[in-house]
Amino acid sequence: MSKYVTRQRKVLLDCLNRHPDETFSAQEIAGMLGEESVSLSSVYRNLAELEAEGKVRRTLKGSVRESYYQFLDGARCKNRLHLTCTQCGKTAHMDAEEARELTRSVAKRDGFLLDKTETILYGVCEVCQHAGPPEKSEETP
Amino acid sequence: MSKYVTRQRKVLLDCLNRHPDETFSAQEIAGMLGEESVSLSSVYRNLAELEAEGKVRRTLKGSVRESYYQFLDGARCKNRLHLTCTQCGKTAHMDAEEARELTRSVAKRDGFLLDKTETILYGVCEVCQHAGPPEKSEETP
DNA sequence: CTAGTTGCAAAGAGTTTGCATGGCG
DNA sequence: CGCCATGCAAACTCTTTGCAACTAG
């Protein structure tokens, strides 16, 4: 799709490459790049292109009507399932073997053909578990 | 929350009860009830209430910016994971034992604490697999 | 009668699009 | 120089909200 290598495109890709496991809204991304650097519409247009190329995944977070975009490292994501932390937003990759087992189990027991690219498992990652639950007002006395 | 039993509320609940495993957008629901029967805003307001009570789950489908609502049968969903078919939109329930195994596996191998209420596995259900892939234009010759 | 609900229309928020300008090749 | 990409602002869509009228209990 992309025929020209523009400054904006470079800045965006650079940013995504630096944050392979995180998800951001279009507005957050525009903010990270500096509002003056890339216009919001270009961010949207480029993300849409990247999504079509399979280099970026677009998800809908929580109950909000806002899209979140995540850079996909082809090699790391191949045949894996994603584990996204509902607290810090980072994504871990289930290893291929484990993913295969799950796929097999679901196929056998439920007759369900799991789609690895669409499915995301939500929960709390190791780091956040140890950090304890998010404090309600301040730290627990 | 709901203190009064209004006609609109009855109609909506009735409809949801009739379609426990399917997901619909607010507009689709309003349509099913008959536009003249319940106003769109009331549909939204009641769904929001039901969601807060945990009787309805709100998800964001595909890459669209539209919310989809699904009636949750408390008993059936307890401790289960949901398997939603990307083709027909219906949801099946992974049995409790299988869900427990998966939770355990993910905890041990990835240190990830799975959230059963948030996670939905996407894929193709048994029926749609046998029905073959969705025809592109018409039936395969 | 009183307080929760409804409907309508207007306000909001995120995303998309039309069009002129700008920049890559 | 030609065509793609950018920016801005207007257009869109889904969802929320304010407010007066309505109605369940």
Side-chain angles (χ1 to χ4, degrees), chain B residues 53-65:
Chain B
E53 295 170 29
K55 293 183 185 151
V56 153
R57 180 210 300 258
R58 177 185 191 174
T59 58
L60 293 279
K61 211 186 197 174
S63 330
V64 196
R65 59 215 148 315

Side-chain angles (χ1 to χ4, degrees), chain B residues 4-5 26-27 41 44-45 58 65-67:
Chain B
Y4 290 178
V5 178
Q27 320 219 23
S41 10
Y44 275 115
R45 280 194 270 232
R58 177 185 191 174
R65 59 215 148 315
E66 202 176 3
S67 292

Side-chain angles (χ1 to χ4, degrees), chain A residues 4-6 26-27 40-41 44-45 58 65-67:
Chain A
Y4 290 176
V5 178
T6 65
Q27 319 221 27
L40 193 52
S41 11
Y44 275 115
R45 280 194 269 235
R58 178 184 191 175
R65 61 211 148 313
E66 201 176 3
S67 293

Side-chain angles (χ1 to χ4, degrees), chain A residues 34-96:
Chain A
E35 307 277 2
E36 353 76 34
S37 185
V38 184
S39 74
L40 193 52
S41 11
S42 287
V43 169
Y44 275 115
R45 280 194 269 235
N46 280 308
L47 285 173
E49 225 170 67
L50 290 167
E51 189 200 2
E53 296 171 27
K55 293 180 184 153
V56 154
R57 180 210 300 256
R58 178 184 191 175
T59 56
L60 293 280
K61 214 186 200 173
S63 332
V64 198
R65 61 211 148 313
E66 201 176 3
S67 293
Y68 280 77
Y69 300 86
Q70 175 174 21
F71 184 69
L72 297 178
D73 179 331
R76 286 182 83 188
C77 299
K78 184 82 175 170
N79 281 322
R80 287 148 195 258
L81 278 166
H82 290 96
L83 303 164
T84 296
C85 179
T86 52
Q87 280 177 37
C88 67
K90 294 204 181 177
T91 297
H93 298 71
M94 187 185 267
D95 71 68

Side-chain angles (χ1 to χ4, degrees), chain A residues 4-18:
Chain A
Y4 290 176
V5 178
T6 65
R7 178 185 59 75
Q8 291 86 334
R9 213 106 79 177
K10 269 186 270 187
V11 177
L12 174 60
L13 276 179
D14 200 56
C15 170
L16 290 176
N17 273 308
R18 263 201 310 282

